[in-house]
Amino acid sequence: MSSERIVVCGAGGFIGGHLVADLLRQGHRVVRAVDCKPFDEWFQRFPEAENLRLDLQEAGACDEAVRGAAIVYNLAADMGGMGFIEHNKALCMLSVLINTHLCMAARKHQVQRVFYASSACVYAAEKQVSPDVIALKESDAYPAMPEDGYGWEKLFSERMCRHFREDFGLATRVARYHNVYGPFGTYQGGREKAPAAICRKVIEAKLSGRHEIEIWGDGRQTRSFMYIDDCLKGTQAILASDILEPINLGSNELVTINGLVDMVENIAGLKLQRSYNLKAPKGVNGRNSDNALIKKYLGWEPSVRLSDGMEKTYRWIYDQMKSQA
């Protein structure tokens, strides 16, 4: 595969940038990296890759992006953490144009295989009302009542992939990501997710000497978080597999938001006075990944403990913030 063209859509983003880096490390010589952001806003950019700035909501841009490609990873979306997706539902829904036009272009150019990055936000909210949540199985996506906006777009795009596979023979693979985190990602500006946001808030408290932190919600809501290295391994394994249905890709190490703050405080070596903003977006009360299916199919399970991944994430964000202080 090293001489076949691999296209990473959303390469200027967090997961996409790491994926390009990993493919180049493996020796893939023809990697095309595509994103709509200006090059100086990409989290990672590599001169060894063919870097293109294209708006993949446009059909012509998707045609240019996938021309001559064997493999396409679709990680492109207008998205962010809970604060972003709760207040930008229309923008999140418009990402359906990306997957639609990429599937059309991939069919036209006879792409061998397409990977689509879906989300745990496809799962029905009624199954996530308690912090003591039962881990979500793939079948829990139906009857459908996903996260409004972002979740509906992801679920619709999953079906798009399915029907392009069934009707047109386009080989599609779909993973439902559960809260991916790590270095080289958004940690400020409103699109950041909980691990990066908590790291930033703790670092701000440390650097300013004001030892206090605001937590969104009551802090008892539960989540699982998957480190980027595990995400990359799982993503590429799913792409290469014979798994036709959407499948969970996440950690099953459940933690409360309060527990995540405890963890970052320990890394930083300080304790903070906590206040709770009960009016802020907090998402569902509990969410965890049932990994029985991916373990059965691929023998995959995450290898990076949350405490280890959070330390690496904290150190990277600290260095970024310290250099800007």
Side-chain angles (χ1 to χ4, degrees), residues 29-275:
R29 296 190 296 273
V30 190
V31 178
R32 179 179 291 157
V34 183
D35 204 286
C36 66
K37 294 188 290 293
F39 288 136
D40 61 0
E41 294 180 13
W42 290 28
F43 287 114
Q44 300 184 72
R45 183 159 61 96
F46 304 92
E48 311 96 294
E50 178 191 3
N51 298 300
L52 300 180
R53 186 186 176 195
L54 298 170
D55 183 355
L56 295 175
Q57 291 190 15
E58 299 175 359
C62 290
D63 190 84
E64 182 178 348
V66 307
R67 189 178 294 117
I71 302 294
V72 173
Y73 289 93
N74 179 12
L75 307 173
D78 197 351
M79 57 85 68
M82 191 53 59
F84 179 82
I85 66 176
E86 283 201 6
H87 294 121
N88 295 277
K89 294 183 175 67
L91 287 179
C92 291
M93 290 296 288
L94 284 171
S95 293
V96 74
L97 295 172
I98 299 173
N99 193 57
T100 302
H101 291 141
L102 278 175
C103 283
M104 293 170 65
R107 179 194 177 205
K108 172 184 173 182
H109 291 286
Q110 299 181 313
V111 170
Q112 293 174 17
R113 197 160 285 206
V114 175
F115 173 89
Y116 177 66
S118 186
S119 165
C121 289
V122 302
Y123 289 113
E126 68 179 22
K127 296 182 182 294
Q128 304 170 77
V129 295
S130 170
D132 301 318
V133 67
I134 297 173
L136 294 161
K137 301 187 298 295
E138 285 78 2
S139 58
D140 288 332
Y142 294 95
M145 188 51 68
E147 186 88 40
D148 198 13
Y150 181 69
W152 275 112
E153 186 277 321
K154 288 296 186 185
L155 194 62
F156 178 86
S157 291
E158 287 187 5
R159 303 297 285 195
M160 176 84 69
C161 289
R162 171 181 172 175
H163 295 311
F164 264 73
R165 175 174 55 80
E166 292 176 340
D167 293 0
F168 302 135
L170 180 65
T172 56
R173 300 293 183 266
V174 177
R176 292 173 179 160
Y177 287 165
H178 287 249
N179 291 318
V180 187
Y181 74 100
F184 294 97
T186 302
Y187 60 88
Q188 60 187 353
R191 291 179 183 260
E192 66 276 14
K193 296 187 177 183
I198 291 171
C199 285
R200 187 201 75 240
K201 289 178 179 182
V202 172
I203 293 165
E204 284 174 343
K206 186 180 182 76
L207 294 178
S208 69
R210 295 188 297 273
H211 287 188
E212 54 192 26
I213 185 171
E214 180 187 84
I215 296 170
W216 287 8
D218 60 13
R220 293 195 291 268
Q221 61 268 38
T222 54
R223 294 289 187 275
S224 64
F225 299 98
M226 174 175 54
Y227 190 64
I228 183 63
D229 291 1
D230 287 323
C231 177
L232 297 176
K233 291 174 185 175
T235 294
Q236 292 170 78
I238 291 168
L239 173 91
S241 77
D242 296 324
I243 302 170
L244 300 183
E245 68 266 37
I247 191 164
N248 282 336
L249 186 60
S251 170
N252 54 8
E253 183 182 349
L254 196 65
V255 65
T256 66
I257 297 302
N258 276 329
L260 194 61
V261 174
D262 291 339
M263 194 175 291
V264 179
E265 285 179 336
N266 289 336
I267 294 167
L270 77 170
K271 293 294 291 182
L272 304 177
Q273 179 68 39
R274 302 181 187 187
S275 62

